[in-house]
Amino acid sequence: MKKLLLLPAILASLVAAITQSPTAAMAGGIGNNYIGPAVTFGGGQSVFGIDSKLGIADNISLRPYVNFPSGGTQFGTSLTYDWDLRQSPTPITPFIGVGVGFQTGNSNTTTNGFAQVGADLNVSESFALLGSVAIPFSSNNANTSVTIGANLRF
């Protein structure tokens, strides 16, 4: 069922990418916010979730998320530095940061810190695609995850 929910997001992303021309990149900052569906791959599973970005200062963003794996819920946020590439013709805004995540379920809760690197592909003034990699600070890198998403700006 979760895989079926992902299909409309992928189709909307493809249609928007094909039919609209990219705009100048929009880095972090107040007023540069988005939210949308995402899928995270890692730890041997794919998980549907909601990813967002809240610009809090020039080139600084909070990126809260919530994922819905079987048997629990994952949520957390990262603080990222977003490179401002508005002077270049590229619609990509790369970012790097650190975060903390929590996982609940099965009568236990775990907390982990992670480093995050990724990029927003600004398809239009109101739509962006996201790709990121989260690498945990623990010695078990088997939990490294990759997230892709489609986001609406507000």
Side-chain angles (χ1 to χ4, degrees):
M1 180 64 181
K2 290 180 183 179
K3 290 180 181 179
L4 290 177
L5 293 174
L6 180 61
L7 186 59
I10 292 171
L11 290 175
S13 301
L14 291 173
V15 168
I18 292 169
T19 61
Q20 296 184 11
S21 62
T23 62
M26 297 169 220
I30 297 171
N32 186 21
N33 307 314
Y34 64 59
I35 190 167
V39 65
T40 301
F41 303 96
Q45 62 179 334
S46 58
V47 177
F48 177 77
I50 298 172
D51 199 67
S52 60
K53 174 182 170 185
L54 302 170
I56 57 173
D58 286 344
N59 296 59
I60 305 293
S61 297
L62 279 176
R63 294 176 180 266
Y65 68 89
V66 61
N67 291 330
F68 306 103
S70 59
T73 303
Q74 299 170 341
F75 59 95
T77 191
S78 60
L79 181 66
T80 63
Y81 177 83
D82 305 329
W83 275 272
D84 187 354
L85 300 178
R86 285 180 272 194
Q87 301 304 319
S88 73
T90 179
I92 296 175
T93 304
F95 60 86
I96 188 168
V98 295
V100 62
F102 305 93
Q103 180 165 345
T104 63
N106 300 331
S107 70
N108 63 3
T109 300
T110 58
T111 304
N112 63 335
F114 59 90
Q116 184 178 30
V117 62
D120 299 322
L121 174 61
N122 302 294
V123 178
S124 73
E125 295 263 342
S126 61
F127 187 77
L129 300 176
L130 161 76
S132 71
V133 176
I135 304 164
F137 291 139
S138 68
S139 61
N140 182 4
N141 286 339
N143 291 329
T144 297
S145 62
V146 175
T147 300
I148 57 172
N151 299 292
L152 295 175
R153 291 188 189 283
F154 62 94

